[in-house]
């Protein structure tokens, strides 16, 4: 991940090198060579995604790309977007991302949970299913509203299993349990959110150079106080990605550029508005 970018672009190489120095280990080698099971451990995966995305952003700036009208990031990507928009320094952003991964992993070990993807049911139906499946001892909630027809739920194993059964009974096209034990964007992340809030309060935050659309509210973040509130709420709240993209469409945005490995967000955008122009960057020297 990011090897061509590192080999061909000095701006990107500087980002990876700075991250290696700050973290005290060769994150770059882990990105380029693996092993995969170590890279996909959330304490490493989150910094790896953040650093690769920011390396691409630095290359874009060096190539003269214009500043976009808005930025947005899905879950962890929100921290990448805030850093690219200048609300966080790269060093502070990386520190928060590393802590986020460590705290989420620890919370998942203390209170294991589960997540599942549900296809072809709308948000009101999935929310009703989650409410029906939850009780005072076990709860499940919408974690990611990715696009019409693709929703991820998260929470206690017992409630999630009930919700999966209810989703199948509601004629979901597909219900897939995800191979993870960290119930991201659920109440099981409360202990992580509490500790992360302290880290956020201790971190210098500036107004972003362009509005960043919030995961939780799907509204623009323009002040440090708004950003702090969003980051504190993010770990236990759902990602309102469909609403975020619809907000941008309502502002007249017609071109969406995905910065980072993969093209998952562009695939979501295709489902949200097929007419929107979607631009995928590559890692090579022609970025």
């Amino acid at each position: 991940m990011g090897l061509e970018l590192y080999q061909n672009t000095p701006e990107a190489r500087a980002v990876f090198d700075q991250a290696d120095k700050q973290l005290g280990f060769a994150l770059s080698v882990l990105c380029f060579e693996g092993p995969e099971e170590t890279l996909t451990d959330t304490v490493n995966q989150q910094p790896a995604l953040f650093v690769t995305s920011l390396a691409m952003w630095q290359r874009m700036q060096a190539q003269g790309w214009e500043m976009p009208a808005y930025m947005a990031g899905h879950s962890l990507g929100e921290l990448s977007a805030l850093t690219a928009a200048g609300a966080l320094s790269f060093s502070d952003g990386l520190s928060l991302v590393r802590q986020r991964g460590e705290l989420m992993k620890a919370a998942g070990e203390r209170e294991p949970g589960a997540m599942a993807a549900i296809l072809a049911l709308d948000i009101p139906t999935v929310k009703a299913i989650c409410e029906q499946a939850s009780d005072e001892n076990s709860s499940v909630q919408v974690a990611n509203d990715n696009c019409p027809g693709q929703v991820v739920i998260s929470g206690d194993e017992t409630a999630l299993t009930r919700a999966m059964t209810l989703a199948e009974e509601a004629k979901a096209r597909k219900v897939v349990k995800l191979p993870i034990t960290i119930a991201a964007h659920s109440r099981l992340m409360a202990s992580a959110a509490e500790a992360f809030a302290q880290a956020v309060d201790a971190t210098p935050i500036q107004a972003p150079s362009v509005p960043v659309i919030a995961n939780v509210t799907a509204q623009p973040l323009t002040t440090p106080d708004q950003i702090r509130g969003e980051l504190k709420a993010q770990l236990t709240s759902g990602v309102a990605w469909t609403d975020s993209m619809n907000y941008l469409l309502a502002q007249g945005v017609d071109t969406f550029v995905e910065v980072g490995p993969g093209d998952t967000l562009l695939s979501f955008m295709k489902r949200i508005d097929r007419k929107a122009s979607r631009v995928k960057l590559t890692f090579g020297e022609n970025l």
Side-chain angles (χ1 to χ4, degrees):
M1 184 172 72
L3 178 58
E4 286 185 77
L5 191 65
Y6 183 91
Q7 290 175 332
N8 295 319
T9 60
E11 301 84 8
R13 190 178 308 120
V15 172
F16 279 104
D17 290 346
Q18 181 179 344
D20 288 354
K21 183 176 180 180
Q22 179 175 333
L23 293 173
F25 71 95
L27 178 70
S28 58
V29 175
L30 189 58
C31 288
F32 308 152
E33 301 177 7
E36 185 175 355
E37 61 269 22
T38 305
L39 177 60
T40 55
D41 185 326
T42 193
V43 299
N44 297 319
Q45 185 180 51
Q46 293 194 34
L49 291 169
F50 174 84
V51 171
T52 302
S53 297
L54 268 297
M56 293 184 75
W57 175 243
Q58 285 297 108
R59 178 57 173 168
M60 291 170 69
Q61 289 188 301
Q63 293 239 335
W65 282 67
E66 293 183 10
M67 199 70 174
Y70 298 90
M71 293 188 185
H74 189 288
S75 190
L76 162 71
E78 188 165 58
L79 283 152
S80 303
L82 288 167
T83 302
L88 295 165
S89 70
F90 175 79
S91 177
D92 287 336
L94 178 58
S95 178
L96 281 178
V97 167
R98 180 68 168 176
Q99 290 178 74
R100 186 181 187 271
E102 291 171 344
L103 290 168
M104 289 178 68
K105 182 174 182 177
E109 290 171 348
R110 282 191 300 270
E111 295 186 89
M115 302 179 75
I118 299 175
L119 304 186
L121 292 183
D122 61 27
I123 280 292
T125 300
V126 177
K127 285 184 176 180
I129 285 171
C130 288
E131 290 176 5
Q132 185 179 348
S134 299
D135 57 32
E136 60 182 12
N137 298 315
S138 181
S139 67
V140 63
Q141 66 193 72
V142 172
N144 302 334
D145 173 11
N146 288 330
C147 60
Q150 185 181 127
V151 181
V152 176
I153 60 174
S154 178
D156 298 283
E157 181 93 36
T158 301
L160 185 123
T161 300
R162 287 196 294 258
M164 291 175 66
T165 299
L166 291 169
E168 290 170 348
E169 292 173 354
K171 308 301 183 186
R173 188 171 75 236
K174 197 171 186 180
V175 179
V176 182
K177 187 175 181 182
L178 304 180
I180 53 178
T181 58
I182 295 177
H185 301 290
S186 82
R187 71 165 189 83
L188 295 183
M189 289 291 108
S191 61
E194 183 177 348
F196 191 62
Q198 296 176 12
V200 169
D201 280 336
T203 300
I205 298 178
Q206 300 176 336
S209 56
V210 298
V212 177
I213 308 306
N215 280 188
V216 177
T217 65
Q219 294 296 307
L221 301 170
T222 59
T223 70
D225 284 346
Q226 290 174 339
I227 292 168
R228 290 186 196 280
E230 165 70 12
L231 291 177
K232 291 176 183 180
Q234 191 208 57
L235 292 185
T236 56
S237 302
V239 177
W241 193 253
T242 300
D243 287 347
S244 296
M245 296 302 100
N246 280 329
Y247 175 87
L248 292 176
L249 290 166
Q251 308 314 303
V253 176
D254 59 8
T255 302
F256 295 79
V257 182
E258 182 166 357
V259 182
D263 58 0
T264 300
L265 300 182
L266 294 184
S267 69
F268 295 162
M269 196 65 225
K270 186 176 181 180
R271 296 289 300 275
I272 295 168
D273 187 344
R274 188 174 292 270
K275 296 179 181 178
S277 177
R278 303 179 301 277
V279 179
K280 176 58 193 169
L281 304 173
T282 61
F283 287 106
E285 63 181 325
N286 294 322
L287 172 64

